[in-house]
Amino acid sequence: MSSAKKATEASKNASSRGAVLELPQKKSDIVPSKVARDSSLVERLKRKGLDPQKLLDLALPSSTAKSVTKFRHKLILVGFFLLVALPSAAFSAYMFFWASDQFHSTTAFAVRSSNPVAATEVLGMVMGSGSSDSTTSNSYIVTDYIQSQAILEDIADEVDLTGVFNREGADWLFRMGEDLPIEDKLSYWNGMVDVSYDSTSGVIYLEVRSFKPEDSVSIASLVLERSDILVNKLSESNRRQSVRYAEEAVARAEARLKAIRKQLLAYREETQEVNPEANAEIAAEMIAGLDQERATREAEKTTLMSYLDEDSPRIRMLDQQILALESEIATVRKRLGSGTSASGSGDNSNSVSFRLADYSDLAVEEEFAQQLYVTSLASLEKARQEADNKSLYLATFIPPTLSEDAQYPNRLMYSLAVFFMLAGFWLVAVLLYYNVRDRS
């Protein structure tokens, strides 16, 4: 088709759409207007705080940006190789080819009481409450003892832990090391000796690891021996604690009884009488006899007065006898008491009534002290029986086992743990880089 026909068709299409057809302008006329529009667009973007160059790079990525992106990705892959893959492979090679075998010894034991279990305790055990509070607390004490510095000091004279955990052929990573402080030794000990307590069954499980099976059995046996000694000490301490209060109560009751008896002895030395109550009874009997005899004499006098004069010798003799009996009765009554109140001015502290009151107080205190002493002795005997029945002992269910094949260290688990740990660090670093890059 010729250019004339194309122009004719273009004009027809333009006229049919209602548009105005303009003739093409020269290139020199188009450039200034385009530059003006671009400059005004750049000014508007700058006023809004946007960078036109960055927007242009994002819209039309250049070859330089693509090369930077490829370099960054390569750098991330190199970082993964150097920081994750290579160290993980080296550690895995160490674990599978250089790490020494570790042999374990397992034992199981429990702290038991010789006290017979009551029906309520059996019901509590069936419902899941476990053993009694005493054995439970002592089991936790034994568990803490095995994980403490005390057991290292106790078995130091019987086994050389430094020599055991630094055997020839032990690898560098899992050996103890020389000349370590006690804190580092304890940390290594807790890493090689695992102890756990099952509160439901009351059983303590112990596992010891070392580089020779015989060493593991020896250490496990020593731990059992020291645990048994500790349980015996706890049992004896509980026994002394239970009996001590009863013994103190007996000592106090005995001292009180001795003090009361000393007071009674001093009272008897002072009054020169064993029992004032007996003397009072004797005095009362004497008064009653004298009073009866006086009544007899008065009755006889009354009879004689019916036919004799008052001046007759017989009447005068009876009067003298009656006066003598009354005087004797008064004397005996004065021995019992002065006849006045206790707050009176008379000195009646030596009367039988006062001595009887003092003696009654001492007698009551002696009787109470004696009953208290007897009760304390019975309580002491009962406490001793209960303490003997509650004695603790160590029951070993599984003796230390001898390992025939090394089960530790778990090489695959250690290798995977190191790989995932390094991969996690690497992933966090990459994410931090992209976060900082996007915000800058």
Side-chain angles (χ1 to χ4, degrees):
M1 182 182 294
S2 63
S3 59
K5 291 181 180 181
K6 290 180 179 180
T8 303
E9 291 179 359
S11 61
K12 289 181 180 180
N13 294 332
S15 60
S16 63
R17 292 195 299 268
V20 180
L21 178 64
E22 296 181 357
L23 295 177
Q25 299 177 357
K26 296 182 180 179
K27 187 175 181 180
S28 59
D29 297 334
I30 298 174
V31 172
S33 62
K34 183 178 180 180
V35 172
R37 289 196 303 270
D38 293 341
S39 61
S40 62
L41 178 61
V42 170
E43 292 297 330
R44 288 198 303 270
L45 291 175
K46 287 183 177 180
R47 283 197 300 270
K48 292 183 179 181
L50 299 176
D51 191 354
Q53 185 63 38
K54 288 186 177 181
L55 294 176
L56 186 60
D57 292 340
L58 292 174
L60 300 173
S62 62
S63 60
T64 304
K66 292 181 179 179
S67 62
V68 171
T69 303
K70 291 181 180 180
F71 177 75
R72 183 169 58 247
H73 292 168
K74 290 179 181 179
L75 186 61
I76 291 175
L77 292 177
V78 170
F80 178 82
F81 177 77
L82 294 177
L83 299 178
V84 179
L86 188 60
S88 299
F91 184 80
S92 299
Y94 178 86
M95 290 299 301
F96 281 96
F97 297 104
W98 283 281
S100 302
D101 293 335
Q102 297 177 16
F103 301 89
H104 73 286
S105 178
T106 305
T107 182
F109 56 92
V111 179
R112 290 289 182 257
S113 175
S114 59
N115 188 29
V117 181
T120 55
E121 295 183 0
V122 173
L123 180 60
M125 294 176 64
V126 171
M127 297 181 66
S129 62
S131 56
S132 63
D133 294 338
S134 177
T135 56
T136 301
S137 60
N138 289 316
S139 298
Y140 280 114
I141 290 174
V142 173
T143 302
D144 294 338
Y145 168 74
I146 296 175
Q147 296 175 331
S148 68
Q149 179 179 336
I151 193 169
L152 296 181
E153 297 173 352
D154 291 340
I155 66 176
D157 297 334
E158 302 180 25
V159 63
D160 183 13
L161 294 178
T162 303
V164 168
F165 292 116
N166 291 293
R167 293 287 186 188
E168 184 179 358
D171 64 289
W172 170 82
L173 183 60
F174 291 99
R175 67 188 306 170
M176 175 184 282
E178 302 287 343
D179 299 329
L180 295 179
I182 189 63
E183 291 79 10
D184 293 341
K185 288 183 179 180
L186 179 60
S187 178
Y188 183 85
W189 169 268
N190 289 329
M192 300 296 286
V193 177
D194 295 331
V195 58
S196 61
Y197 173 66
D198 186 0
S199 59
T200 303
S201 60
V203 178
I204 300 174
Y205 296 95
L206 176 69
E207 183 181 73
V208 180
R209 299 190 301 274
S210 68
F211 302 104
K212 290 181 63 177
E214 294 80 8
D215 291 338
S216 299
V217 174
S218 176
I219 294 175
S221 300
L222 285 176
V223 172
L224 275 179
E225 180 181 350
R226 299 308 306 183
S227 300
D228 188 30
I229 294 174
L230 176 64
V231 170
N232 292 334
K233 289 182 179 179
L234 292 175
S235 178
E236 183 64 23
S237 177
N238 291 335
R239 184 180 183 279
R240 288 197 304 266
Q241 191 73 13
S242 300
V243 176
R244 183 169 65 88
Y245 296 110
E247 290 178 346
E248 291 177 356
V250 171
R252 290 194 299 268
E254 185 178 2
R256 181 174 182 177
L257 182 60
K258 288 181 178 179
I260 295 299
R261 288 181 175 177
K262 285 183 179 180
Q263 293 180 8
L264 278 174
L265 179 61
Y267 173 83
R268 287 165 179 164
E269 288 288 337
E270 181 182 358
T271 59
Q272 296 182 352
E273 57 184 358
V274 177
N275 190 354
E277 293 180 353
N279 294 337
E281 292 178 357
I282 294 173
E285 291 177 357
M286 290 178 60
I287 291 174
L290 293 174
D291 196 19
Q292 183 178 3
E293 187 175 355
R294 185 190 63 179
T296 302
R297 294 292 184 270
E298 287 180 351
E300 184 179 358
K301 177 183 176 182
T302 302
T303 303
L304 292 176
M305 285 291 294
S306 59
Y307 57 88
L308 293 178
D309 295 333
E310 292 184 357
D311 296 332
S312 63
R314 182 62 176 171
I315 297 298
R316 288 198 300 270
M317 184 181 67
L318 287 174
D319 289 337
Q320 291 178 358
Q321 290 179 354
I322 291 171
L323 290 175
L325 290 172
E326 289 179 350
S327 177
E328 186 67 19
I329 291 173
T331 302
V332 174
R333 288 184 180 276
K334 191 174 182 180
R335 288 172 54 191
L336 291 176
S338 61
T340 59
S341 63
S343 59
S345 60
D347 185 9
N348 52 8
S349 59
N350 292 325
S351 63
V352 175
S353 59
F354 273 86
R355 295 199 306 271
L356 184 60
D358 295 338
Y359 178 80
S360 298
D361 294 338
L362 293 175
V364 170
E365 291 184 5
E366 182 189 19
E367 183 179 1
F368 178 77
Q370 188 169 0
Q371 291 179 356
L372 181 62
Y373 180 68
V374 172
T375 304
S376 301
L377 288 177
S379 300
L380 175 60
E381 187 64 25
K382 183 179 180 181
R384 286 175 177 173
Q385 293 178 358
E386 291 179 353
D388 293 337
N389 292 332
K390 292 182 180 179
S391 61
L392 302 175
Y393 64 93
L394 196 70
T396 303
F397 300 104
I398 302 176
T401 59
L402 180 64
S403 178
E404 296 181 356
D405 187 19
Q407 300 294 325
Y408 296 93
N410 194 331
R411 293 171 170 82
L412 181 60
M413 184 187 69
Y414 276 102
S415 301
L416 291 177
V418 170
F419 173 78
F420 285 119
M421 180 182 66
L422 295 176
F425 290 153
W426 171 82
L427 183 59
V428 170
V430 171
L431 292 177
L432 287 176
Y433 166 74
Y434 275 105
N435 190 13
V436 173
R437 176 181 171 275
D438 293 340
R439 292 180 180 272
S440 60

